[in-house]
Amino acid sequence: MNELIKQIKAGDREAFKALYDQYANYTIRVATGITRNKMVAADAVQETFIRVYNNINSFDEDKPFEPWLYRILINECNRILKNQSKTIPISNYLEEHAGIVEEDVYKFEEYEELYTAVNELDDMNRIPIILKYLEGFTELQIADTLNLNVNTVKSRLFKGREKLKKKMAALNERRHLYE
Amino acid sequence: MNKKFDDQIKESLMKGTEESTKLKDEIWNKIEQEIDANQIKQKIDHNPIGGSRRMIKQKRKTPRIFGLGAVAAALLIVFLAGTAPGHAAIDRVRELFVPEKTIVEELEGMEEETDVNLQKSRLGYVIYFDEQRYSLDSLDGKDKIAPIEQADYVPEVFMEIEQVEDKDIETLATEIQKMLAGEYETVRNEGSVDSPIESIYLYANTGNNWDDEVVKYYLVDNTQGGVFVIKQQFFFEASEGFGVRFDNMLKEFQMISLEE
C-alpha cells in the first residue's frame, strides 16, 4: 500500500487507478449502506476519490490508509445527504433521477427483511455495523474511522445487533401468526 | 451473538449493495474527467507557460479564514510588547509560523501523532488543527472550529472563539456563569487555570448520560482590556475525544497583532 501511495504522490495516475480498483467495490457498498441510495453513493464515492487524489500529499504513510479513506467517505456521504436535504425537494430529486426508486427496491429473497432492518437502525448503530460487516473492519479500525472510543464501538455494535435480532424475532412472530 | 446471525447480517448487506457496484466504471470515468478538468484549469490559472506534475490543491468547500499563502505573505509581524500570558514570544516566531507540524496527542491513554496546520484568524490569534478532521468558519465576528464529520444524533460539536473588547475578564466570567446556571444542570467555575491555556475556566453539562451536552468556557485576558472567549461544546461521551482534541488545539493558541 505504501508503495502505491508513494507512486500516487509522485503523480502516477495508473497507481491511483490501482488504488481505486482496490477499494471501489467496498467504498460503493459502504456508501450505499450509509446513504441508502446507490446514486447518492456513487456521488459520494466519486467525491471521496477526488479528495483522496487532491490531498494524498498530506496523507502520512506511517498511518493506516483505510480509516483515512473511510473517514472521508463517511463525511462525503453525510455532506451530500445534508446538502440534498437543504436544497432539493425530494420530489424534484426523484424526477431528475428517474428509475432510482424501482432500482433501489431490488429484491433479494430472504435477506431483504434483514437488510431493511439494518437500514432502519439509527446511524449510531447502523454505520459501525456497515463498516464491520461490509468492510470487515475491526472494532479498533471502526473506532479510528469514526473517531470513537473502542468500547463505544463495541457497545454500539452489540446494541445494533440486539436491535436487529429483536426486529427479526418480531417479524418471524408476526409471520407465524398469519401462517 | 451467534455466528450464524453475523453471517446473515453480512450476507444481507452484501446482497443489498451488490447492484451499486455496477457503477464502478462509471464513477471512475467521472473521477478522471474531474481530475483532468482541474489540472487543465490549474495550468491555465497558475502556470500558463509550462505544466507542473505537482498535485493540485482541492478547492475548499468551506472558506479558510486566512490561507497559508497569505500567512507567509504577512511579512511584517509585530508582536505585542512584553511577555503577557498567551502572547507569542519573539523567539517562538519561527515555530509559530511553521505551516504544518506533527503533534503528539494523548487520547484515552494512547498516544497518537496528528499532523496539524496553521490557521490564522483576523481576530488576532493563531491556532493549529488537523484540516483532515476540522474546518474553521468565521461568521459575525466569531470563529467556529468544527469537525468536518458531524453526527446528527448528538449535540453539535464545535469550538467557538470570539474577542470581547469592552469587558474585563472577571465581569465576563460572572455573566457567563449566570447564563450557564439558567441552562445547564451542572455548572462549575474552576477559577484560574494554567492548562490547556492560562485562563478562567467554566464547565457545564446537562447531565451524565452519554449524549448529554457539555460546554466549557476558557476566558483568556487579551491584555488590552478585553477577553478572548473560547467556548467548547460537545457531548458527555466525547469528553475524552473531542474535548481533549479541542484542549490540545488551545495549547497552540497564541495571540498576535499583525501589520500587513
Side-chain angles (χ1 to χ4, degrees), chain B residues 106-214:
Chain B
E106 189 170 314
L107 292 161
E108 294 161 347
M110 289 175 71
E111 287 194 344
E112 175 185 304
E113 282 194 353
T114 306
D115 292 330
V116 292
N117 313 84
L118 176 68
Q119 315 289 324
K120 179 166 153 282
S121 169
R122 293 186 189 282
L123 297 181
Y125 69 88
V126 293
I127 201 165
Y128 284 83
F129 61 72
D130 178 358
E131 289 184 341
Q132 295 296 321
R133 290 185 174 171
Y134 295 90
S135 64
L136 191 155
D137 284 313
S138 201
L139 192 67
D140 298 334
K142 293 180 184 177
D143 291 341
K144 192 172 188 179
I145 298 168
I148 292 167
E149 182 188 316
Q150 289 258 9
D152 57 6
Y153 47 84
V154 288
E156 187 188 0
V157 173
F158 62 86
M159 180 159 74
E160 197 171 69
I161 302 174
E162 66 176 311
Q163 192 168 188
V164 176
E165 291 176 347
D166 57 351
K167 282 183 183 164
D168 68 82
I169 193 164
E170 298 292 346
T171 306
L172 204 54
T174 307
E175 285 180 10
I176 291 173
Q177 190 174 350
K178 275 186 191 165
M179 179 270 292
L180 291 173
E183 294 181 21
Y184 292 88
E185 186 180 306
T186 303
V187 178
R188 293 197 308 264
N189 183 339
E190 305 276 358
S192 296
V193 295
D194 294 328
S195 180
I197 189 168
E198 198 165 316
S199 58
I200 289 180
Y201 169 42
L202 298 123
Y203 172 94
N205 70 37
T206 53
N208 294 329
N209 293 321
W210 74 271
D211 58 349
D212 277 327
E213 189 174 300
V214 174

Side-chain angles (χ1 to χ4, degrees), chain A residues 5 19 27 31 39 53 55 58 62 65 78 92 98 104 109-110 114 116 123 125 154 164:
Chain A
I5 301 284
L19 182 90
T27 48
M39 299 311 289
Y53 186 78
N55 292 291
S58 67
D62 294 332
F65 176 71
N78 289 333
N92 293 1
D104 280 0
E109 299 166 0
E110 69 262 40
L114 185 49
T116 304
D123 281 357
N125 298 124
K154 284 181 186 172
L164 287 177

Side-chain angles (χ1 to χ4, degrees), chain A residues 8 13 17 20 29 32 38 51 54 58 63 68 75 111 124 133 147 149 152 156 162 165, chain B residues 1 5-6 14 17-18 20 24 27-28 36 55-56 58 108 113 132 148 153 237 245:
Chain A
I8 299 168
R13 183 74 72 84
K17 174 71 164 66
Y20 176 77
R29 284 179 186 276
T32 305
K38 70 177 185 178
R51 279 198 65 184
N54 288 338
S58 67
K63 291 180 183 170
W68 187 65
N75 174 45
Y111 290 102
M124 62 181 292
Y133 291 102
N147 208 14
N149 179 301
T152 307
R156 289 184 186 180
E162 285 290 294
K165 280 196 104 175
Chain B
M1 199 61 56
F5 190 59
D6 280 0
M14 291 297 282
T17 57
E18 181 66 38
S20 308
K24 182 186 164 190
I27 295 168
W28 173 251
D36 288 342
M55 292 283 182
I56 56 169
Q58 189 188 26
E108 294 161 347
E113 282 194 353
Q132 295 296 321
I148 292 167
Y153 47 84
E237 191 184 65
R245 288 190 200 275

